[in-house]
Amino acid sequence: TSFSFFVSLGVGYKAGASITRVPSSAEVAPRTQVGNDSIIGEYTKIDERSSVKKSCVGAHCVIGKNVKIANSVIMDHVVIGDK
């Protein structure tokens, strides 16, 4: 399935259920890319010109400018500074 990646990370998913990739509480700056194969946690902030691909970013995280995240699991309350 298209969400087998998230299931392998322990993210719950039921067949037929919708999954919120970027919750309304998250702040994603302009010129930032979040791939269809990624999920962002509640209250997470991602700054300009960053990208998240094939990854899961936890809740209450701050991701700085020009950061590239791929094939990663970022736990809750993590801060990654500007590149």
Side-chain angles (χ1 to χ4, degrees):
T1 68
S2 60
F3 289 102
S4 61
F5 175 74
F6 298 115
V7 172
S8 70
L9 294 176
V11 174
Y13 175 72
K14 279 186 170 180
S18 65
I19 191 166
T20 303
R21 292 185 320 98
V22 181
S24 59
S25 62
E27 296 178 42
V28 179
R31 293 178 280 175
T32 294
Q33 297 177 343
V34 176
N36 289 332
D37 50 5
S38 297
I39 190 167
I40 306 299
E42 296 278 341
Y43 303 100
T44 289
K45 180 181 177 186
I46 305 176
D47 216 334
E48 293 183 348
R49 294 181 300 276
S50 292
S51 68
V52 180
K53 297 178 182 177
K54 293 185 180 179
S55 298
C56 181
V57 179
H60 303 276
C61 293
V62 177
I63 310 299
K65 293 179 182 177
N66 300 309
V67 174
K68 308 299 180 221
I69 297 173
N71 302 311
S72 301
V73 177
I74 309 297
M75 303 304 285
D76 295 346
H77 302 280
V78 172
V79 176
I80 300 175
D82 298 344
K83 179 179 176 198

